[in-house]
Amino acid sequence: MTFLEYAPAPESTAILNLKPEYGLFIGNEFVAAEGESFSTISPATEKEIARVANASAADVDRAVAAARKAYDKTWSKLSGRDRGKYLFRIARLVQERARELAVAESLDNGKPIKESRDVDVPLVAAWFFYYAGWADKLDYAGLGGNPRSLGVAAQVIPWNFPLLMLAWKIAPALAAGNTVVLKPAETTPLTALLFAEIVQQADLPAGVVNIITGAGETGRALVNHPDVDKVAFTGSTEVGRQIARSTAGSGKKVTLELGGKAANIVFDDAPIDQAVEGIVNGIFFNQGHVCCAGSRLLVQENIHDDVVERLKNRLSTLRLGDPLDKNTDIGAINSAEQLQRIRELSDIGEAEGAERWTAECAIPENGFWFAPTIFDNVSTSSRIAREEIFGPVLSVLTFRTPAEAIAKANNTPYGLSAGIWSDKGSRILAVADKLRAGVIWANTFNRFDPASPFGGYKESGYGREGGRHGLAAYLKGAK
Amino acid sequence: MTIERAVSPAQRAIQVLGDDLTETTLKRYLEGIPGIDAVGLEQRAAGLGTRSIKTTSKAWALDRIIELIDLTTLEGADTPGKVRSLVAKALLPDPSDLSTPRVAAVCVYGDMVPYAVEALGAAHSAGTDEGVNVAAVATAFPSGRASLAVKLADTADAVAAGADEIDMVIDRGAFLSGRFGQVFDEIVAVKEACRRADGSYAHLKVILETGELNTYDNVRRASWLAILAGGDFIKTSTGKVAPAATLPVTLSMLEVVRDWHRLTGEKIGVKPAGGIRSSKDAIKYVVTVAETVGEEWLQPHLFRFGASSLLNDVLLQRQKMKSGHYSGADYVTID
């Protein structure tokens, strides 16, 4: 045995108290659904974790009706200060149950426990704390005095950050005085269902938060429901387009947070070791299942070889395996379907002539896994430089001048995020000014804060989440 | 000012910078090294600190930490008796468990070297790979504020008395005022003073006193400078200035050592010293070494802990792993 084969350090699942089957959470109660239930599995073992309900159109009706009733009768009439109290209570309960939520998230999603424990769950609590503070200060949200809530919000969230995306959606909606019906992704409903228990614990008025599980059909029924005033969606650009089409002319307010193909630009005067860390964090964080992932590395040509060599050395130290092991860096791919897509696009990359390099690591027998992979000498026209792979696959491109870096970075249908690495402050500001991306990180990557707005340009969607700007998605001016 | 040439330990500088080695070329080289982003470096160090080292890995790490310790006493009040006591502890760290490994070296002031050598007796490595080394701090430790002649005499004295390793301090004043050539020349000269009558050299550890250099960029430059001048080891601190060793500082020095190895194939040692008191902290350093430069660095000629109280905490943890319960401070010896 070598020291670097660290002995297993698994986080115990004993803290979980899961039910074998979960219903829909409507009006603060778990109720049975009309449709056939489906199972949610652990992507690391392919074993079933629990059965969850599949909400039909009638179930969606019930959930929206509960949300409407809660909006009309209680939530819209509460003072901002009282809404804030509930949100603070939720935030504290999230902190109290942090370990349990982290274990459930890693189990259901496949992400490493160190990420769910140190990133996802702390951010969830931070989001609720942040928007709890806004609830009684909406006069300062930038919409003039006495802004009004919208009503019932239909929220559909993805599987990459299940609980965090829930917090991004629910916290500002409730702070602004809306009630919500939220649908988690079909592969990752577990933490949303645990959150439903937290809603009960917090004694939120019945119907303010409703959580319904199901697949695409359920989501479609929800966003197209006539009694919904607001649609918030995070997910693929394809589904985002459908939602934009189907809600057009309906009067519903819509925010979409969609795909990305972020450029991570490394200049030759960058702090090189930290840049390598940032590249790793940019694309291999959460197995690359991050819409704002730095999936296109743009590195200045004169330092290309050095950076790529350092990157390969660093990737060789990443540990792939059991998401619940505290030393795991790369967990499981969330679903067989996603794994298939990553494999397909990687094969295309190879076929199109890019140079493929994969870190050597043992792949577990069961479950869905993809070893960290770099494609070098990728051309701008290659599909792996254009399309979102949403996996641990990095495309390396080079540039010669800042102008070329900016042009290549912007040459994408997306515009969610970008990164700049340079020791020269003036260069960072000048380049950031010309990048068309909603979030730009300088000498860091994939850092999130509830006070900072997040959202995209072009096909990455519209509207902003987080910060004061995030409130505007759930409010209208008093007129 | 020009840099002394032709002295053998400066071979490295000539190899990397070329024959026309001057202060200007040295300065340009050091200033051309990529900078360090402090936030990113600290984030990486914190990330390495979250590794969870359990069961067999922990047992291995605890034993290895003991084998990497320079057991140190550097007090004005040091006496031959205190040094003898320290040596006894170095040879038999835990009298209740004879399987406990010995430490790498004892580290004392120059005038205490003869007592340490005498106390070690047959257990003194004396140039071999077996046994415990004697390390001496020299060059007007800890401040380094003395003339070069005094520093060289200090060094030669300790080597003559039988020191296997010399822990020198760099002239931080000269470094901070940009006189890199002076710092370089001093290291080269001290390296020469480490030469024994038979032509072999005592190992030279170069203390950067990172707490006084203040920025990570300075630490990185000083690390390169010390290596180019011929240091066998780069060491964080004297232990007399706060902050002493920190994980990010040590990580940045390990990165230099890794890059030097990539460049030349030569392996340089690293010694964090001061402020590492618990096994938990020490394990973070072990992880950082293994994941930055590789596991082969976890041996006494490439990595050391400069510490005094760390040993007892490791012994307590060791006892706990064997017995399943914590004993207490009275179940390990003071020194």
Side-chain angles (χ1 to χ4, degrees):
Chain A
M1 190 201 90
T2 69
F3 176 65
L4 278 171
E5 290 166 31
Y6 300 142
E11 182 71 61
S12 168
T13 53
I15 196 168
L16 289 179
N17 190 13
L18 299 176
K19 295 175 211 156
E21 181 150 11
Y22 286 89
L24 306 171
F25 185 71
I26 298 174
N28 274 19
E29 302 284 342
F30 281 100
V31 298
E34 277 193 344
E36 180 91 348
S37 67
F38 62 99
S39 70
T40 182
I41 62 163
S42 157
T45 59
E46 301 177 56
K47 285 194 185 128
E48 180 181 286
I49 305 168
R51 304 279 306 171
V52 289
N54 192 0
S56 66
D59 295 322
V60 171
D61 255 349
R62 274 199 289 165
V64 173
R68 174 59 61 191
K69 190 173 154 200
Y71 180 74
D72 290 341
K73 293 257 163 75
T74 50
W75 199 247
S76 66
K77 297 197 167 72
L78 274 188
S79 69
R81 196 171 53 176
D82 285 337
R83 289 198 308 272
K85 276 187 202 168
Y86 282 110
L87 288 168
F88 277 121
R89 207 182 280 171
I90 291 173
R92 285 193 300 268
L93 285 165
V94 167
Q95 287 183 320
E96 273 174 32
R97 297 179 65 171
R99 182 181 290 246
E100 181 190 350
L101 291 169
V103 171
E105 197 76 306
S106 285
L107 191 65
D108 200 23
N109 168 280
K111 66 174 66 200
I113 185 77
K114 75 167 192 188
E115 287 177 13
S116 50
R117 177 195 67 198
D118 296 343
V119 182
D120 292 52
V121 176
L123 278 174
V124 170
W127 237 268
F128 278 103
F129 275 119
Y130 177 80
Y131 279 110
W134 264 115
D136 61 354
K137 302 172 191 69
L138 298 180
D139 286 350
Y140 307 96
L143 296 154
N146 294 313
R148 290 174 301 149
S149 54
L150 302 176
V152 175
Q155 308 181 316
V156 178
I157 58 172
W159 46 262
N160 58 344
F161 293 92
L163 191 61
L164 183 58
M165 290 301 105
L166 174 147
W168 282 29
K169 296 281 182 283
I170 291 184
L174 297 195
N178 305 277
T179 58
V180 306
V181 180
L182 176 130
K183 187 195 89 68
E186 65 268 32
T187 59
T188 56
L190 198 59
T191 43
L193 295 165
L194 294 183
F195 182 80
E197 294 176 7
I198 288 178
V199 169
Q200 288 175 328
Q201 258 181 300
D203 208 14
L204 220 66
V208 172
V209 171
N210 305 279
I211 293 169
I212 56 170
T213 46
E217 208 45 55
T218 309
R220 232 183 316 276
L222 177 58
V223 299
N224 293 328
H225 196 284
D227 201 28
V228 156
D229 303 292
K230 153 84 192 176
V231 173
F233 171 76
T234 297
S236 71
T237 295
E238 189 194 325
V239 176
R241 270 203 199 95
Q242 290 171 19
I243 291 175
R245 260 196 299 272
S246 70
T247 53
S250 67
K252 291 172 190 169
K253 195 162 177 170
V254 179
T255 43
L256 301 172
E257 202 267 88
L258 309 174
K261 192 73 191 175
N264 203 358
I265 307 170
V266 180
F267 288 100
D268 62 0
D269 62 354
I272 215 76
D273 287 312
Q274 287 71 49
V276 168
E277 285 307 312
I279 296 164
V280 171
N281 185 41
I283 183 65
F284 300 112
F285 172 63
N286 202 32
Q287 295 78 244
H289 300 330
V290 185
C291 43
C292 52
S295 49
R296 282 187 298 151
L297 173 63
L298 292 178
V299 58
Q300 200 160 343
E301 212 168 294
N302 56 340
I303 55 165
H304 165 272
D305 294 354
D306 187 38
V307 167
V308 171
E309 189 188 330
R310 283 170 190 270
L311 194 57
K312 287 177 180 172
N313 288 338
R314 175 68 179 89
L315 291 185
S316 305
T317 70
L318 291 179
R319 320 173 76 82
L320 179 142
D322 180 8
L324 288 174
D325 191 298
K326 291 175 216 162
N327 292 324
T328 292
D329 298 313
I330 305 280
I333 302 299
N334 182 252
S335 64
E337 212 183 325
Q338 186 58 28
L339 180 60
Q340 188 52 35
R341 178 173 164 76
I342 297 168
R343 282 188 179 146
E344 259 172 47
L345 275 166
S346 299
D347 292 345
I348 289 170
E350 224 173 339
E352 286 180 343
E355 217 172 283
R356 181 179 185 154
W357 181 90
T358 297
E360 263 181 55
C361 55
I363 302 287
E365 234 172 76
N366 296 319
F368 318 126
W369 310 90
F370 198 87
T373 295
I374 304 176
F375 280 102
D376 202 359
N377 296 321
V378 175
S379 53
T380 37
S381 60
S382 178
R383 273 184 70 189
I384 53 169
R386 310 288 306 167
E387 293 181 29
E388 187 176 36
I389 299 174
F390 222 63
V393 180
L394 177 70
S395 301
V396 183
L397 298 90
T398 57
F399 68 88
R400 293 159 297 178
T401 63
E404 188 182 6
I406 293 163
K408 281 188 170 172
N410 286 337
N411 182 221
T412 166
Y414 297 109
L416 192 51
S417 68
I420 306 171
W421 295 84
S422 169
D423 237 6
K424 194 168 177 177
S426 59
R427 191 198 315 271
I428 291 171
L429 294 174
V431 172
D433 209 34
K434 294 193 172 64
L435 291 178
R436 280 175 295 151
V439 183
I440 295 170
W441 286 291
N443 291 336
T444 189
F445 211 94
N446 275 343
R447 295 275 269 180
F448 306 96
D449 191 286
S452 171
F454 183 94
Y457 277 55
K458 300 185 277 185
E459 287 190 24
S460 290
Y462 39 77
R464 290 294 178 266
E465 293 183 301
R468 181 173 61 77
H469 307 76
L471 285 167
Y474 291 97
L475 287 173
K476 57 189 169 196
K479 267 188 264 180
Chain B
M1 167 180 270
T2 54
I3 292 168
E4 269 185 63
R5 289 202 246 164
V7 273
S8 59
Q11 277 303 337
R12 288 179 186 158
I14 292 165
Q15 180 193 344
V16 173
L17 298 173
D19 276 335
D20 56 338
L21 186 56
T22 65
E23 178 160 41
T24 313
T25 54
L26 178 69
K27 204 167 175 171
R28 279 198 192 128
Y29 187 78
L30 294 178
E31 285 170 356
I33 293 165
I36 292 183
D37 183 77
V39 175
L41 178 74
E42 286 165 10
Q43 211 180 332
R44 171 70 178 141
L48 286 162
T50 65
R51 288 291 190 214
S52 183
I53 305 304
K54 301 287 184 208
T55 59
T56 49
S57 293
K58 186 175 181 186
W60 185 91
L62 290 175
D63 276 9
R64 188 46 60 99
I65 289 165
I66 297 174
E67 290 168 326
L68 296 173
I69 286 179
D70 280 1
L71 196 60
T72 303
T73 181
L74 294 171
E75 301 297 331
D78 283 347
T79 57
K82 166 76 185 173
V83 170
R84 276 194 286 273
S85 171
L86 185 83
V87 167
K89 174 91 176 171
L91 294 175
L92 186 60
D94 187 349
S96 70
D97 181 355
L98 299 181
S99 73
T100 313
R102 287 173 174 174
V103 300
V106 290
C107 181
V108 295
Y109 270 113
D111 63 331
M112 291 290 137
V113 170
Y115 305 108
V117 169
E118 189 197 345
L120 278 170
H124 184 206
S125 67
T128 66
D129 284 342
E130 296 295 308
V132 175
N133 280 356
V134 175
V137 296
T139 69
F141 180 95
S143 69
R145 295 260 65 87
S147 70
L148 180 59
V150 170
K151 291 179 185 178
L152 296 180
D154 194 11
T155 306
D157 199 36
V159 173
D164 309 284
E165 304 170 2
I166 294 295
D167 289 25
M168 72 167 288
V169 292
I170 64 163
D171 186 339
R172 284 87 76 190
F175 182 88
L176 291 172
S177 64
R179 285 175 279 134
F180 292 171
Q182 187 184 336
V183 182
F184 184 92
D185 283 346
E186 271 193 19
I187 298 171
V188 172
V190 172
K191 176 83 186 180
E192 266 317 286
C194 289
R195 190 208 278 262
R196 302 192 189 92
D198 65 358
S200 63
Y201 287 85
H203 273 263
L204 181 62
K205 304 198 197 100
V206 182
I207 303 172
L208 310 179
E209 196 65 299
T210 54
E212 288 184 348
L213 299 185
N214 197 267
T215 69
Y216 295 122
D217 285 334
N218 277 345
V219 171
R220 174 165 285 195
R221 283 183 195 130
S223 300
W224 275 97
L225 188 153
I227 293 171
L228 287 169
D232 300 304
F233 252 84
I234 48 177
K235 175 175 168 184
T236 60
S237 337
T238 59
K240 306 290 185 193
V241 167
T246 65
L247 197 55
V249 155
T250 309
L251 170 60
S252 72
M253 290 164 64
L254 285 163
E255 285 172 347
V256 174
V257 163
R258 177 200 62 201
D259 289 351
W260 181 259
H261 182 247
R262 270 180 70 202
L263 189 67
T264 66
E266 190 181 12
K267 292 175 180 171
I268 304 293
V270 176
K271 177 179 171 184
I276 305 166
R277 293 189 183 85
S278 68
S279 309
K280 199 176 167 188
D281 278 350
I283 288 174
K284 291 180 185 179
Y285 283 84
V286 170
V287 165
T288 303
V289 171
E291 295 206 21
T292 307
V293 282
E295 232 176 294
E296 65 265 36
W297 251 263
L298 290 172
Q299 36 183 319
H301 68 278
L302 289 174
F303 191 77
R304 296 284 177 85
F305 287 106
S308 41
S309 57
L310 170 63
L311 178 58
N312 272 349
D313 190 67
V314 176
L315 295 177
L316 285 172
Q317 286 293 329
R318 237 180 140 263
Q319 290 177 359
K320 195 258 170 184
M321 288 203 81
K322 295 222 158 151
S323 68
H325 58 83
Y326 284 100
S327 48
D330 288 342
Y331 293 84
V332 287
T333 58
I334 295 171
D335 56 29

